[in-house]
Amino acid sequence: MDALIVSTICFGLFIVASTQAMLAGYPDAEFSDASNVYGILIEVILAVCALLYLHFRHFDIRSLYPRPQWMGALEGVGIYAVAVVLGGLVTETFEGNDSSMPVVAFSFQGVSLASTVAFAMVNGIFEEVFLLGVLLRGLKGQGMWFAVGFSMLVRLLYHTYQRPVGVLSVLAFGLVLTVFYLRTGRLWPVVFAHILGDIVPVFFGDG
């Protein structure tokens, strides 16, 4: 029950929005400084609500704080690289003759470095703390495969707006982060990998 409540608090709004985009035919995803600020505010509010709920449920809140370290950041770079490679391998069979992919077009035109980094930091912490630090860890008592499956399902549901191929890439990325967390129990490296995943495509990719 706690997992469902936390999932609803943290990701329910995004799951609804993603489902609406999917039903609307996968419109382009356009980002701006304003949308980044809005995203930050929404995630901070939802995080506070979820943490208050977990506090009243006597969850160990302090264990959810990522502890930044240089070595962990380097591990995050490695995790990001592995996740990108795996995502490419998973989706390459869908590549068209013109090297295009049937994924949603992302637009970052005019987005500043400051808002991108700020959003990436908040989003990376928000998603991985609640997906892995709360849901995955909290559900381990129900069995590892159930815990992994539930957290991956939630991750999938709020990314459906990216079309099926995009979702496969997201799941590949999430699987790498999940495996690392399962093996180490450390959040900072996976958070840093996620932060890179939000920043790199904006300035060094095509979306």
Side-chain angles (χ1 to χ4, degrees):
M1 181 60 70
D2 285 344
L4 287 174
I5 292 174
V6 172
S7 298
T8 301
I9 293 172
C10 293
F11 304 106
L13 179 64
F14 304 120
I15 291 173
V16 170
S18 187
T19 302
Q20 289 175 335
M22 178 179 66
L23 295 176
Y26 304 105
D28 294 350
E30 299 182 359
F31 290 84
S32 65
D33 286 346
S35 70
N36 282 344
V37 171
Y38 175 78
I40 290 170
L41 290 175
I42 290 296
E43 290 189 347
V44 168
I45 292 170
L46 295 178
V48 170
C49 293
L51 290 173
L52 284 173
Y53 172 79
L54 291 170
H55 172 74
F56 288 118
R57 295 293 293 166
H58 306 293
F59 193 93
D60 183 10
I61 302 294
R62 287 181 297 179
S63 66
L64 297 176
Y65 300 153
R67 293 168 173 78
Q69 297 175 332
W70 285 111
M71 185 56 66
L74 290 175
E75 289 176 307
V77 173
I79 295 168
Y80 172 74
V82 172
V84 169
V85 170
L86 180 60
L89 291 174
V90 168
T91 60
E92 67 176 355
T93 56
F94 299 95
E95 185 174 320
N97 295 330
D98 58 353
S99 298
S100 64
M101 280 284 187
V103 296
V104 164
F106 284 78
S107 173
F108 304 107
Q109 187 174 3
V111 179
S112 68
L113 175 62
S115 77
T116 298
V117 172
F119 174 75
M121 292 177 64
V122 172
N123 189 57
I125 294 171
F126 177 83
E127 290 194 28
E128 302 313 328
V129 161
F130 289 108
L131 284 174
L132 301 181
V134 177
L135 297 183
L136 180 64
R137 187 177 69 175
L139 289 171
K140 275 186 178 180
Q142 307 297 321
M144 184 186 71
W145 290 113
F146 178 81
V148 171
F150 187 90
S151 65
M152 291 290 285
L153 175 62
V154 174
R155 193 185 294 267
L156 177 155
L157 289 175
Y158 66 87
H159 284 101
T160 54
Y161 73 94
Q162 294 190 24
R163 301 177 69 96
V165 175
V167 169
L168 284 177
S169 180
V170 168
L171 290 180
F173 194 94
L175 181 61
V176 174
L177 272 59
T178 299
V179 169
F180 181 91
Y181 181 74
L182 281 173
R183 291 179 62 87
T184 67
R186 291 187 291 123
L187 277 169
W188 170 241
V190 297
V191 165
F192 193 80
H194 191 132
I195 291 172
L196 289 177
D198 285 343
I199 294 175
V200 172
V202 177
F203 299 103
F204 302 101
D206 55 6

